[in-house]
Each structure stands twice: as structure tokens, then as C-alpha cells.
Amino acid sequence: MSFNKQKSSLALGSGAGTVVLDLTNNTSFQVTLSGTVTFDLSAVTPGSDYKIILYLLQDATGNRTVTWPGNVKWAAGTPTVLSTAAGALDLVALQTFDSGANWYGMPLGSNFS
């Protein structure tokens, strides 16, 4: 089993709808939420573990949401609540130990503005 080291952060720009996180070259992503976003976490290398850092920025409208895939597990079964103020920045970590069958979500900080 290999662990992919942290690479530089990739700015994905504005996101709405399904946003694919390509883990081939990056494990840190910056996304400006411009609508409801669903992350696609399927691009994993079999036999590998990943730790992803997401920088989620509300656009000028705010109140944007993220729909997490069903295989993302949260402490006490409750997904992190994102800040909704325009321009607010939240950091979220996702980690897998089983090649993406299950992801474990952890809030790292919220409402950086």
C-alpha cells in the first residue's frame, strides 16, 4: 500500500454540478462554489491511500452547498456544515485507507474571511 504525498494545490475555479477531483497529480484543491457541488472521488489508484485538502470558497452570492458522495463518512454521521457567507473560506480534509471505497471527512476550519 502506498501513500500519495501532498502535492501543490490546484485551483479548479468556479464549480457547480459535479466536480471531478483528479488525484493523479494533485491532492489539494481550491474550488469557488458557484452553485451546489457534488465531488467525484472515483479517480483513485488501486492499492493507494489518499489525503485530500479542499479549500472551499463561497462566491459573491454565498449560500452555496456541497453534496458529499455516499461513501464519505463523518464523525457522528453528520457532514460538516459549511459557512454560507459570501467570500467565506472553509477547509475540509478527506482521507481514504481502502483505495476510495470509504472516505473519512474532517473539517479543518471554517469561515476564514
Side-chain angles (χ1 to χ4, degrees), residues 58-97:
Q58 291 285 341
D59 66 5
T61 301
N63 289 313
R64 307 303 188 174
T65 60
V66 170
T67 301
W68 301 100
N71 63 340
V72 176
K73 315 293 185 202
W74 300 92
T78 304
T80 188
V81 176
L82 298 178
S83 303
T84 58
L89 174 68
D90 293 345
L91 277 65
V92 175
L94 299 174
Q95 188 162 2
T96 182
F97 297 103

Side-chain angles (χ1 to χ4, degrees), residues 22-102:
D22 182 354
L23 304 174
T24 304
N25 294 311
N26 294 87
T27 56
S28 178
F29 302 91
Q30 304 164 26
V31 180
T32 299
L33 304 174
S34 59
T36 299
V37 169
T38 300
F39 288 110
D40 179 339
L41 302 168
S42 63
V44 299
T45 302
S48 294
D49 298 340
Y50 294 90
K51 185 185 304 179
I52 300 171
I53 305 294
L54 298 172
Y55 297 83
L56 304 175
L57 178 66
Q58 291 285 341
D59 66 5
T61 301
N63 289 313
R64 307 303 188 174
T65 60
V66 170
T67 301
W68 301 100
N71 63 340
V72 176
K73 315 293 185 202
W74 300 92
T78 304
T80 188
V81 176
L82 298 178
S83 303
T84 58
L89 174 68
D90 293 345
L91 277 65
V92 175
L94 299 174
Q95 188 162 2
T96 182
F97 297 103
D98 55 12
S99 300
N102 293 288

